[in-house]
Each structure stands twice: as structure tokens, then as C-alpha cells.
């Protein structure tokens, strides 16, 4: 009978579907079981380049997620520009008020009228620089740090709070809606930047500013010059941050942020868990709970910072702080089985400082009369960090050393591939799977 045949056929089809679904579930379960977790910590002092390295990992292994995030970086770029403009104007004000004898003007042949010129530019830029604190508060979602330090401080999921879109988890989007002011200051910054773009250019190109930079009286954040040179592009109404913009941006991380990447290697799939942690002194206590079962630590030491001091402790040279921190990492018992990757970072900035004539021995007295050239300086720092590992490192702890510039995409991604391979091979060896 047709009805019986149809019913039997339906049961057969239903069973075939069930069997297929069961087979797929088993396959997914098998794949998940075969995927191995590799836990990697990014460590180093604040401004060492950890977050930039994380973005390089993201660019290499999950570029589509970086593309979705581009709108969220737009107001962060604006903040970087505004902060740079404010810093320049403050330094010029100080220079004028403390140079009554016009020695600065005569030293750099500025002439007597430069304060009036800067004053006119300043008046036009006041609407821009006065929104800095409110913009920082909006981007930080109200997060502040002790000591009254200014800046943008973010925690995991901050992008959803800046630019809520369907790309973000629903919970993050809902949280972002709790603040009626979300995006208000960012939009105001975009408008002000468009209106004052020509004045920002005039300020940046003014001979007084160039003189301060040349005489090293003006210390801007490392990304400031990049953004100020690009101010015309950044102030366009349809501006969307490029990859270079995102890599250059200055953003301070609070707490611990986890990033995951699927990495295929030698026929296996690995779930790469990358932990980016805040590097300021007050945040380092949060690192230790994550050391347990860490496969590897990538430690970033900015060797260009030989002439800089900690923001939290102006008496401590940043190289000394990195060495002390690296010593603590090497000797930590929880990391005795972890691979250790040392990235001597910001070599591009180191080269620029040395070419400009900055003397290492002025800040690092133990450097002595060694040549003030890049190869000699880089090797000196490499030897010091390697010696720390030799003295304090643990017998099973392997050390891999790389000289890096996180802004060089091509070179950094080659290093990332090498580092990943070394870490996974070490992981397989310790697991008895090699």
C-alpha cells in the first residue's frame, strides 16, 4: 500500500539522518579531543609591546577578527592624536614661561614672535584638547587607575563598549547600551579633529616644535609622530584605521585578556591560548595565577628604553626594571617546565636613538666605553638578559632569543611562525608526543 511504503521510506530517511548526525557529532568530538591547548603568557613591563604582539598574532592567525574591530580603534587613534597635541602645547608653554632670557629662541633661531604664533594656534586647538579627559573616560568605560595618571585603560571586551555591532557577543552589546553617553565624545573628537586638522598640521610643522624634538626637550609617546604625520588622512569623515594605525596605537591594558587562535602544525591542530596582561607594577601580582600549566612565556624587553624611567617610579631605569622582572620570571618554580621566549623589542627605536647621538653609557653606566653602535648595544643587552637566564633559569627551561620591532609586520610574522614552531615542538617533547 502506498501509505505503508511512504511511512517505511520516511523511517528509513529519518534513521539515515540520525545516523549522519551521530557520525558528525562523533567527528566533532574526535576533533575537539585531538585539539591540544597551548597556553602562552605575554609578559613584560608596561609599554614593552605586548599588546602590539598580540595584534600581530591576530593579524596572522585571525585577520578577519581584526577587520571587524577596525571601527573600535578609530576613537583610540583620535585620543592618541589629542594627547600628543596637548603634550606639545604644554611643553611649549613651559619653555616660554621658563625662558625669559629668550635663550631657547636664540639657540634655535626662532625669532622673537614664535610665542605669539603658538598662542594663536593654541587658541584654535583649545576645543580639541579640552575633550581629552572626557574621551579617555568614555573609552575606558569609567575605569581609572591610582595615582591620578591619565590615559585610556581598557579591560577585555572594550571594543563592544566603544562600537557596539553585531560582530560582538550579545552580552557585550547589551552592556554597552547601559551608558547613554557611549560614542558621544568619540563623535565630538572626530568633528573637532576635522575642523582643526590644518591647525594640528601647523603646530606639528612649526619650527619651535621641531627644535624641541631635536634638542630632546619634548618627549612624545612613540606613536605620536606617526599619527601627526598622517593627520590629514585621520581627519577624513570616512576614516577607518589601517593595520599600521592599529599597530601604532597606544592603549593600556588592565587585568588579563585571553585571545584564542587555532593553529595547524605537523598534521595536528592546536588551540593557542594567548594571555595579554597589564605590565604596570601595580598589576604584576595578577600574573602568578596564570603561570600554572603555562606552556610558554613570551617576555618582551624594550631595549630602546635605556634612556627612560618607569612612570610609576621615576628613579628606576626601564632596562633595570626589565632585567629584574626577567630574573623573577626565570626563577619562578611554576614556570620550570615552560619554554621561555625573550623578545628584545623596539630595535627600530633603538637604532634611531643611537643614530641621533644618544649615548647609552650616560644612562647605563656599566656600558662603559663600548662603541655606541647598534650591533654593540644590542649584543650588550642580549648578553645581560641571557646571563640572567643562565644564572636564574631552571634546568628544563629552554630560552629562545629574538630581536624584534613589532611594527615591522613581515619580520614579526616570520618570528611568530618560528616561535610557534619552537613552542609546539617543546610542548610535544614534554608531552612525550614528539
Amino acid at each position: 500500500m502506498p501509505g505503508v511504503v511512504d511511512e517505511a521510506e520516511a523511517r528509513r530517511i529519518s534513521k539515515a539522518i540520525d545516523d549522519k548526525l551521530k557520525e558528525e557529532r562523533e567527528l566533532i568530538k574526535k576533533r575537539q579531543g585531538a585539539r591540544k591547548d597551548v597556553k602562552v603568557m605575554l609578559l613584560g613591563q608596561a609599554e614593552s609591546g605586548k599588546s602590539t604582539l598580540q595584534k600581530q598574532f591576530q593579524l596572522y592567525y585571525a585577520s578577519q577578527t581584526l577587520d571587524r574591530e577596525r571601527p573600535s580603534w578609530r576613537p583610540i587613534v583620535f585620543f592618541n592624536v589629542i594627547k600628543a597635541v596637548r603634550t606639545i602645547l604644554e611643553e611649549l608653554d613651559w619653555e616660554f614661561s621658563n625662558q625669559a632670557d629668550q635663550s631657547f629662541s636664540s639657540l634655535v633661531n626662532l625669532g622673537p614672535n614664535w610665542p605669539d604664533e603658538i598662542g594663536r594656534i593654541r587658541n584654535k586647538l583649545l576645543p580639541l584638547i579640552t575633550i581629552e579627559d572626557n574621551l579617555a573616560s568614555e573609552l575606558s568605560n569609567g575605569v581609572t587607575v591610582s595615582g591620578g595618571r591619565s590615559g585610556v585603560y581598557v579591560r577585555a571586551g572594550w571594543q563592544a563598549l566603544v562600537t557596539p555591532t553585531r560582530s560582538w557577543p550579545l552580552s557585550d552589546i547589551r552592556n554597552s547600551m547601559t551608558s547613554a553617553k557611549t560614542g558621544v565624545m568619540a563623535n565630538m573628537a572626530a568633528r573637532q579633529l576635522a575642523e582643526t586638522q590644518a591647525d594640528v598640521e601647523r603646530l606639528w610643522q612649526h619650527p619651535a616644535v621641531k627644535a624641541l624634538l631635536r634638542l630632546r626637550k619634548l618627549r612624545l609617546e612613540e606613536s605620536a609622530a606617526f599619527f601627526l604625520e598622517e593627520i590629514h588622512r585621520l581627519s577624513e569623515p570616512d576614516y577607518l584605521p589601517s593595520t599600521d594605525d592599529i599597530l601604532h596605537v597606544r592603549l593600556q591594558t588592565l587585568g588579563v585578556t585571553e585571545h584564542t587562535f587555532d593553529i595547524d602544525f605537523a598534521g595536528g591542530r592546536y588551540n593557542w591560548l594567548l594571555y595579554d596582561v597589564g605590565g604596570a607594577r601595580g598589576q604584576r601580582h595578577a600574573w602568578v595565577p596564570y603561570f600554572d600549566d603555562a606552556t610558554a612565556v613570551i617576555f618582551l624587553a624594550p631595549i630602546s628604553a635605556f634612556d627612560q624611567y618607569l612612570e610609576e617610579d621615576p628613579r628606576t631605569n626601564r632596562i633595570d626594571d626589565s632585567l629584574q622582572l626577567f630574573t623573577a620570571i626565570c626563577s619562578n618554580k611554576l614556570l620550570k617546565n615552560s619554554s621561555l621566549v625573550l623578545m628584545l623589542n623596539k630595535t627600530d627605536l633603538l637604532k634611531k636613538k643611537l643614530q641621533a647621538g644618544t649615548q647609552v653609557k650616560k644612562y647605563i653606566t656599566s656600558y662603559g666605553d663600548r662603541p655606541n653602535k647598534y650591533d654593540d648595544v644590542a649584543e650588550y643587552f642580549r648578553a645581560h638578559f641571557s646571563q640572567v637566564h643562565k644564572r636564574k633559569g631552571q634546568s628544563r627551561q629552554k630560552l629562545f632569543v629574538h630581536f624584534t620591532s613589532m611594527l615591522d609586520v613581515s619580520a614579526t610574522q616570520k618570528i611568530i611562525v618560528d616561535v610557534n614552531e619552537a613552542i609546539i615542538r617543546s610542548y610535544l617533547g614534554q608531552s612525550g608526543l614528539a
Side-chain angles (χ1 to χ4, degrees), residues 96-145:
F96 176 64
S97 62
N98 287 275
Q99 295 287 340
D101 59 357
Q102 297 295 307
S103 60
F104 172 67
S105 301
S106 59
L107 181 63
V108 293
N109 298 317
L110 290 177
N113 297 324
W114 73 267
D116 293 334
E117 295 169 359
I118 293 296
R120 287 191 290 271
I121 295 174
R122 162 186 265 283
N123 289 338
K124 293 182 178 180
L125 291 175
L126 276 176
L128 179 68
I129 61 176
T130 53
I131 66 176
E132 180 185 355
D133 288 343
N134 287 334
L135 178 60
S137 179
E138 179 177 280
L139 296 175
S140 303
N141 198 34
V143 173
T144 58
V145 297

Side-chain angles (χ1 to χ4, degrees), residues 397-409:
Q397 192 181 62
K398 295 182 179 179
L399 177 67
F400 306 92
V401 183
H402 296 272
F403 290 100
T404 57
S405 168
M406 289 300 144
L407 299 177
D408 186 332
V409 174

Side-chain angles (χ1 to χ4, degrees), residues 34-293:
R35 193 170 65 172
K36 307 168 185 67
D37 286 346
V38 177
K39 181 178 175 182
V40 181
M41 302 288 298
L42 297 183
L43 302 180
Q45 63 187 205
E47 300 184 53
S48 59
K50 298 184 300 297
S51 295
T52 309
L53 177 58
Q54 176 270 311
K55 285 180 275 189
Q56 287 277 19
F57 268 95
Q58 188 178 2
L59 180 63
Y60 189 80
Y61 289 111
S63 60
Q64 72 283 358
T65 64
L66 193 65
D67 288 337
R68 289 200 299 269
E69 291 176 6
R70 289 186 191 278
S72 67
W73 290 101
R74 188 170 183 256
I76 306 292
V77 170
F78 295 158
F79 176 81
N80 277 239
V81 172
I82 294 170
K83 184 176 181 181
V85 169
R86 189 257 305 159
T87 302
I88 291 171
L89 289 172
E90 285 182 350
E91 185 58 40
L92 287 168
D93 285 348
W94 186 92
E95 201 63 49
F96 176 64
S97 62
N98 287 275
Q99 295 287 340
D101 59 357
Q102 297 295 307
S103 60
F104 172 67
S105 301
S106 59
L107 181 63
V108 293
N109 298 317
L110 290 177
N113 297 324
W114 73 267
D116 293 334
E117 295 169 359
I118 293 296
R120 287 191 290 271
I121 295 174
R122 162 186 265 283
N123 289 338
K124 293 182 178 180
L125 291 175
L126 276 176
L128 179 68
I129 61 176
T130 53
I131 66 176
E132 180 185 355
D133 288 343
N134 287 334
L135 178 60
S137 179
E138 179 177 280
L139 296 175
S140 303
N141 198 34
V143 173
T144 58
V145 297
S146 60
R149 287 182 286 141
S150 63
V152 176
Y153 300 88
V154 298
R155 298 186 185 276
W158 66 269
Q159 289 98 334
L161 301 174
V162 175
T163 52
T165 71
R166 293 181 182 272
S167 300
W168 301 106
L170 185 59
S171 59
D172 284 345
I173 297 173
R174 285 173 176 162
N175 288 338
S176 72
M177 299 304 179
T178 60
S179 172
K181 294 184 178 180
T182 297
V184 171
M185 297 309 301
N187 291 333
M188 186 179 295
R191 289 196 301 271
Q192 289 293 339
L193 201 59
E195 292 174 6
T196 60
Q197 172 243 320
D199 299 299
V200 173
E201 283 186 309
R202 274 195 288 273
L203 176 68
W204 179 238
Q205 298 301 330
H206 196 280
V209 175
K210 299 305 180 186
L212 287 175
L213 290 169
R214 188 169 64 253
L215 296 171
R216 294 175 56 79
K217 288 175 173 281
L218 175 60
R219 294 226 175 182
L220 296 173
E221 288 186 345
E222 292 159 358
S223 61
F226 172 83
F227 288 126
L228 291 171
E229 291 287 349
E230 297 286 322
I231 193 65
H232 180 76
R233 175 175 62 86
L234 306 185
S235 58
E236 291 290 335
D238 58 350
Y239 164 66
L240 191 65
S242 67
T243 297
D244 273 348
D245 294 341
I246 294 173
L247 292 177
H248 276 86
V249 85
R250 176 77 180 94
L251 185 65
Q252 299 185 71
T253 306
L254 292 178
V256 180
T257 306
E258 179 185 289
H259 306 271
T260 62
F261 308 100
D262 285 335
I263 296 177
D264 295 318
F265 177 77
R269 169 155 286 199
Y270 299 86
N271 184 36
W272 199 272
L273 303 172
L274 194 67
Y275 292 89
D276 177 15
V277 299
R281 275 190 171 179
Q283 299 184 61
R284 295 174 187 175
H285 64 278
W287 297 3
V288 178
Y290 291 84
F291 287 174
D292 191 30
D293 74 359

